[in-house]
Amino acid sequence: MVKGTPKHEAPEPFEGPVVATVVGGTIIWFALFLVQLPFYGWFDDHGHTWWLWTCLAGGGLGFIGIWHVRRRETAVKRARAGQAVGSADVPEAEPLRGPSPASPASSTD
């Protein structure tokens, strides 16, 4: 057995309130930045200004995350709606068939 080969199937991905979670996290990062901003002098004196910039970066990346998860959620909903509509309106397709071995197109006489 190859190392790293899974011994069981992977579970289905968790689909929860992803947009709300990312929005909440983004709000927390910006709130932390704003709470620490009045103490910039203290952070600068003690060499901890990276705390401020980490919170600001977390908020900025959160905006990118919000954009991403909203687009993903829209695409998932669109795909599910397409499957529901497509399965009801479209008749079942016939399988593709190639030339049979006895057909004249396959003989090389």
Side-chain angles (χ1 to χ4, degrees):
M1 179 175 270
V2 177
K3 183 177 181 179
T5 303
K7 296 179 183 176
H8 53 81
E9 290 187 31
E12 291 293 320
F14 174 71
E15 292 293 335
V18 179
V19 175
T21 303
V22 174
V23 168
T26 303
I27 290 170
I28 290 170
W29 279 114
F30 272 121
L32 289 171
F33 172 74
L34 293 174
V35 166
Q36 293 177 14
L37 195 56
F39 304 102
Y40 183 84
W42 184 89
F43 285 116
D44 193 32
D45 292 342
H46 292 87
H48 295 302
T49 54
W50 64 270
W51 288 14
L52 288 163
W53 307 128
T54 300
C55 293
L56 185 61
L61 291 172
F63 276 129
I64 295 170
I66 291 169
W67 173 79
H68 174 74
V69 296
R70 289 186 69 198
R71 284 182 49 116
R72 179 186 178 277
E73 186 175 85
T74 302
V76 168
K77 286 180 182 177
R78 189 180 314 122
R80 286 183 183 156
Q83 287 176 349
V85 170
S87 63
D89 295 341
V90 178
E92 191 171 320
E94 292 185 25
L96 296 175
R97 296 185 184 150
S100 64
S103 70
S106 66
S107 64
T108 57
D109 292 320

